[in-house]
Amino acid sequence: MTVSSSMYDILVAGGAGVDTIVRVPELRVPPGDSVFVPPVRDYVAHTGNGVACGTHALGLTTKFIDFLGADAQGHQILAAYATSGLDFSHVVSPHGTPRGVNLVDAQGRRFSFYDGRHPADLRLPRAFYLPFLERARHVHLSITGVTLDMYADIHRLGVPCSTDLHDWDGANPHHLAYAVASDYVFMSAAAVHERLDEVLRSILDRGRARLVVATDGAAGCHVLERGDTSVRRYPAVRPERPVVDSNGAGDAFVSAFLYALAQGRPVADCVLAGSVSGAFACTSAGTHTEFIDRDGLRAGCARAGADG
């Protein structure tokens, strides 16, 4: 394994896989035992892929690491990264490459079935990740479990880190371990609407987070920063093209937020960047098939700011 001596703006750990997208009229099982659908397609996907490809497209020096299987899905991922120029290193997993099956309805809403094939105790080897971590200015950890043991070295080295809890219910201990160990915490508000403020506050009270962001679809997002007395609400950004697929919108939000954060922008600007990027992702079919670039993000933020 060859490790560059140059610094990475961001190291993304965990979260590579392949999604099978099934487009359906609505998110429910219809009568009968079969239904015709548009062509079913496989996409390089999952949360770490979305963040890494997003920051790479925005011009951050990005390193991505994970397990991959020696299977057709693993080969598909490696071919995609070779084409895009994303710097990726992996350890071969005997359990194969993680997969998901996502149902997407006519409004672009989705429901995901994630196979979670990695055993609960599988971890990226320290000898593998440490040389990359030592060259990182920021680390983003996917909650796939394989990254959990990295926190001791992250904290020892003083590298700022982030994670995305996705649709955490505010109680699941697996997600909580990531929430309390990260400096920047992202999540979806989907499962905690009635307890949102309480859950955001608990993350700050129980852990080391500087801020926590809960994205909330068309309702925008909610931000609680350490020292704040109340949660701040930010409106959503209206997509500039028709919405066709919400797969990857949360990862696009995270990647642009972290990009703006790396530029030293204030939180409100980071939220705007994330919102523009997330809205953009909703306008392309499939998972992580189109990423906003630096010029597009700058122009989109300018337009959204003027509209607001």
Side-chain angles (χ1 to χ4, degrees):
M1 179 179 67
T2 302
V3 181
S4 169
S5 60
S6 59
M7 294 293 292
Y8 306 115
D9 293 321
I10 185 168
L11 169 66
V12 179
V18 169
D19 275 350
T20 298
I21 304 298
V22 184
R23 303 197 69 86
V24 296
E26 52 186 331
L27 296 180
R28 71 177 185 87
V29 177
D33 61 4
S34 66
V35 63
F36 284 102
V37 297
V40 175
R41 303 191 187 281
D42 291 340
Y43 297 92
V44 175
H46 295 188
T47 183
N49 169 81
V51 175
C53 290
T55 56
H56 176 64
L58 288 167
L60 293 184
T61 304
T62 302
K63 179 70 184 184
F64 186 22
I65 60 173
D66 198 7
F67 283 101
L68 277 190
D71 48 25
Q73 291 73 36
H75 295 316
Q76 181 181 357
I77 290 169
L78 293 175
Y81 296 161
T83 298
S84 69
L86 177 63
D87 187 354
F88 178 72
S89 298
H90 72 286
V91 177
V92 175
S93 169
H95 309 286
T97 302
R99 300 195 65 178
V101 176
N102 297 353
L103 306 184
V104 181
D105 72 7
Q107 287 73 48
R109 297 172 300 190
R110 63 91 187 243
F111 191 91
S112 298
F113 300 88
Y114 177 65
D115 73 8
R117 67 181 60 211
H118 290 323
D121 60 352
L122 184 67
R123 299 289 185 269
L124 287 169
R126 186 171 188 263
F128 168 72
Y129 74 70
L130 190 58
F132 303 118
L133 177 57
E134 290 174 336
R135 291 170 171 80
R137 296 187 175 95
H138 184 99
V139 186
H140 182 78
L141 297 95
S142 302
I143 59 167
T144 54
V146 303
T147 58
L148 198 52
D149 288 354
M150 294 177 64
Y151 277 113
D153 284 312
I154 291 169
H155 297 162
R156 176 181 60 83
L157 293 169
V159 182
C161 60
S162 55
T163 194
D164 186 348
L165 309 178
H166 300 281
D167 57 345
W168 185 41
D169 62 3
N172 187 307
H174 174 84
H175 300 68
L176 180 61
Y178 284 90
V180 300
S182 298
D183 299 302
Y184 301 91
V185 178
F186 301 89
M187 62 180 290
S188 165
V192 295
H193 273 125
E194 294 76 12
R195 301 175 290 119
L196 179 63
D197 290 21
E198 171 193 340
V199 170
L200 299 190
R201 176 62 64 186
S202 73
I203 293 173
L204 296 186
D205 290 346
R206 300 173 71 174
R208 58 187 286 132
R210 305 177 193 181
L211 64 81
V212 56
V213 180
T215 55
D216 200 6
C221 72
H222 316 272
V223 178
L224 185 62
E225 199 168 357
R226 187 167 294 279
D228 286 349
T229 57
S230 60
V231 175
R232 283 173 281 165
R233 321 288 178 181
Y234 292 88
V237 168
R238 186 187 302 274
E240 297 183 333
R241 302 182 299 186
V243 172
V244 295
D245 196 333
S246 61
N247 279 295
D251 302 326
F253 180 100
V254 171
S255 63
F257 187 106
L258 293 178
Y259 167 78
L261 187 69
Q263 313 310 307
R265 305 299 302 171
V267 170
D269 288 358
C270 295
V271 168
L272 180 61
S275 300
V276 168
S277 180
F280 179 86
C282 291
T283 64
S284 59
T287 305
H288 305 145
T289 55
E290 189 176 0
F291 300 91
I292 198 166
D293 61 17
R294 189 181 305 178
D295 291 341
L297 182 65
R298 185 182 299 114
C301 287
R303 289 191 295 269
D307 292 343

